[in-house]
Amino acid sequence: MPTRKIIVLNGHPGATSLSKSLCQAYIGAAKAQGHAVRYHDLSEMSFDQDYGQSGYQDSKPLEPVLDAFLSDLEWAEHVVLATPLWWGAIPAKLKGLFDRALLPGRAFDTRKVNFMGLPYPMLKGKTARVLLTSDTPSIFLRLFYGNAVKKFISRQIMGFVGIKPTKFTTFAPATDAVETTVKTWLSKVEILGAKAT
């Protein structure tokens, strides 16, 4: 199996979390198989989350942690994002990271648009895996909410900049998961990491 270049982003803003444990399990298994991995932890990243009211022509300079994240995103062939589901979406700080880092000129090109007027995606050729923790079981996410968070991440973030397909693995209910359940989840993620999928 060929090795891959992987960026792993722990999108949980807390210093300790199930998301972080899932990332560590994925990274350990991926590295054991010879894959190259670069890791970013949202809880350790300090940056202004608010894009502000200026346009793309006058955007805020990227803080070093955001520039490093974007450079590793450009380098990677596969993107792994671990995030909790909060209020039907992703944490505010994670949304702020995407708002600030995914900018024209590096993530998409507004000078080249398709027939629908959408800018050209500049991060094509990459795939993604989202490790989604939730207290809402997958069947309810689909039946009651139409998988809104999955569509938001896969189409409006990843897909917009050219990263696709985006595959999801959901772990729920997560808040009160017992130790044996968590171990099963970590083993599942290790399999994904070893295969770099």
Side-chain angles (χ1 to χ4, degrees):
M1 180 179 66
T3 58
R4 303 186 77 187
K5 296 184 290 187
I6 306 168
I7 180 174
V8 176
L9 171 62
N10 171 21
H12 195 297
T16 60
S17 64
L18 175 57
S19 296
K20 186 168 189 171
S21 296
L22 295 172
C23 287
Q24 291 169 338
Y26 188 102
I27 291 168
K31 285 185 173 181
Q33 293 300 313
H35 301 293
V37 182
R38 296 183 183 177
Y39 176 62
H40 294 262
D41 191 321
L42 189 67
S43 70
E44 299 173 358
M45 300 171 74
S46 179
F47 59 91
D48 184 351
Q49 302 172 44
D50 184 11
Y51 182 79
Q53 297 183 14
S54 61
Y56 285 137
Q57 296 78 16
D58 188 31
S59 58
K60 300 174 183 178
L62 291 181
E63 290 88 341
V65 292
L66 293 182
D67 189 58
F69 168 76
L70 186 50
S71 294
D72 285 348
L73 187 60
E74 293 167 329
W75 161 87
E77 299 167 317
H78 186 57
V79 181
V80 177
L81 167 65
T83 180
L85 176 66
W86 286 355
W87 292 107
I90 59 178
K93 187 176 180 181
L94 179 56
K95 177 62 164 56
L97 182 149
F98 292 135
D99 285 349
R100 291 289 318 286
L102 299 182
L103 297 174
R106 291 180 73 177
F108 57 93
D109 190 346
T110 55
R111 299 167 301 177
K112 297 165 58 177
V113 297
N114 64 15
F115 70 98
M116 295 178 62
L118 296 174
Y120 178 80
M122 297 179 68
L123 298 176
K124 296 174 73 172
K126 307 175 191 297
T127 56
R129 166 75 60 179
V130 177
L131 308 174
L132 181 68
T133 63
S134 169
D135 284 332
T136 305
S138 293
I139 189 169
F140 295 132
L141 279 180
R142 184 175 72 252
L143 293 178
F144 296 147
Y145 303 112
N147 279 332
V149 68
K150 294 182 179 181
K151 292 174 183 175
F152 164 63
I153 294 172
S154 64
R155 299 178 189 177
Q156 295 178 277
I157 298 177
M158 300 293 187
F160 188 85
V161 297
I163 303 170
K164 57 179 141 180
T166 297
K167 297 181 179 179
F168 289 81
T169 306
T170 304
F171 305 92
T175 298
D176 297 316
V178 298
E179 184 177 352
T180 54
T181 299
V182 172
K183 285 183 178 179
T184 299
W185 291 347
L186 294 176
S187 296
K188 186 174 184 178
V189 170
E190 287 174 347
I191 294 171
L192 295 173
K195 296 180 178 179
T197 61

